[in-house]
């Protein structure tokens, strides 16, 4: 699963960074090598920590929106391929849903997180649960907990 590769990749970056920094400390007697290794190590470790932090912050935002955000049942519009994301040569799907806010007479469009299988069989005649921040409608969470965790290929 792509989530597995995400966690493995961020863990490897963090471990590689720590290894380079450790190597820099061990080779401190050589003039330039420790500085180069330390810079490389901090770069790798920074990316690894950044990936973990992004995941933690996203989960925290989603939890906050489920508690404090406005809940609506958005209307399913379409399933599209997210061509800006790719893992192992495959693009994930995104569920697009809309909701009409009668107070402001605006139609809000919501795109889900990536789904790594075709969710169309599970979306027939279905509204999509969405939580959003009323003061910033660009901050939202499309709740896909009704979908199966994964679908086995037959």
């Amino acid at each position: 699963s792509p989530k597995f590769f995400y966690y493995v990749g961020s863990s490897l970056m963090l471990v590689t960074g720590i290894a380079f920094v450790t190597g820099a400390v061990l080779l401190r007697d050589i003039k330039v090598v420790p500085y180069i290794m330390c810079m490389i190590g901090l770069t790798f470790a920074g990316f690894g920590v950044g990936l973990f932090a992004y995941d933690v912050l996203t989960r925290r935002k989603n939890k906050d929106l489920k508690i404090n955000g406005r809940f609506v049942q958005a209307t399913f519009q379409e399933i599209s391929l997210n061509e800006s994301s790719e893992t192992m040569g495959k693009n994930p799907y995104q569920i697009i849903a809309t909701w009409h806010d009668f107070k402001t007479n605006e139609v809000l469009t919501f795109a889900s997180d990536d789904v790594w299988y075709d969710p169309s069989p599970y979306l027939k005649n279905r509204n999509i649960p969405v939580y959003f921040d009323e003061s910033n409608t660009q901050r939202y969470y499309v709740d896909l907990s009704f979908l199966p965790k994964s679908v086995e290929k037959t």
Side-chain angles (χ1 to χ4, degrees), residues 57-112:
L57 292 174
T58 299
R59 287 175 192 240
R60 188 178 296 163
K61 177 200 79 160
N62 294 347
K63 184 177 179 182
D64 176 60
L65 286 171
K66 284 181 93 168
I67 295 169
N68 301 313
R70 176 156 184 202
F71 173 76
V72 296
Q73 290 285 346
T75 305
F76 168 70
Q77 293 300 314
E78 67 175 327
I79 298 170
S80 65
L81 275 180
N82 180 2
E83 294 181 356
S84 66
S85 180
E86 182 179 317
T87 298
M88 298 182 301
K90 293 181 69 178
N91 297 97
Y93 296 91
Q94 278 189 314
I95 298 169
I96 309 298
T98 58
W99 178 72
H100 183 198
D101 185 352
F102 290 102
K103 278 196 258 178
T104 62
N105 201 29
E106 287 182 301
V107 175
L108 303 176
T109 301
F110 305 104
S112 73

Side-chain angles (χ1 to χ4, degrees), residues 12-147:
L12 283 174
M13 291 188 90
L14 184 59
V15 169
T16 302
I18 292 170
F20 268 100
V21 171
T22 303
V25 170
L26 294 174
L27 298 172
R28 65 182 172 269
D29 294 336
I30 303 171
K31 290 184 179 178
V32 179
V33 173
Y35 297 112
I36 294 170
M37 289 182 72
C38 196
M39 287 177 15
I40 293 170
L42 290 175
T43 303
F44 273 95
F47 278 112
V49 168
L51 290 171
F52 279 120
Y54 175 78
D55 190 54
V56 168
L57 292 174
T58 299
R59 287 175 192 240
R60 188 178 296 163
K61 177 200 79 160
N62 294 347
K63 184 177 179 182
D64 176 60
L65 286 171
K66 284 181 93 168
I67 295 169
N68 301 313
R70 176 156 184 202
F71 173 76
V72 296
Q73 290 285 346
T75 305
F76 168 70
Q77 293 300 314
E78 67 175 327
I79 298 170
S80 65
L81 275 180
N82 180 2
E83 294 181 356
S84 66
S85 180
E86 182 179 317
T87 298
M88 298 182 301
K90 293 181 69 178
N91 297 97
Y93 296 91
Q94 278 189 314
I95 298 169
I96 309 298
T98 58
W99 178 72
H100 183 198
D101 185 352
F102 290 102
K103 278 196 258 178
T104 62
N105 201 29
E106 287 182 301
V107 175
L108 303 176
T109 301
F110 305 104
S112 73
D113 287 338
D114 293 341
V115 179
W116 290 94
Y117 59 88
D118 184 1
S120 51
Y122 308 101
L123 298 173
K124 291 185 174 78
N125 302 319
R126 174 128 201 154
N127 285 331
I128 310 297
V130 176
Y131 300 87
F132 68 93
D133 183 344
E134 287 188 278
S135 62
N136 178 8
T137 56
Q138 296 301 307
R139 188 172 176 261
Y140 62 86
Y141 167 59
V142 178
D143 186 358
L144 299 179
S145 61
F146 64 90
L147 289 175

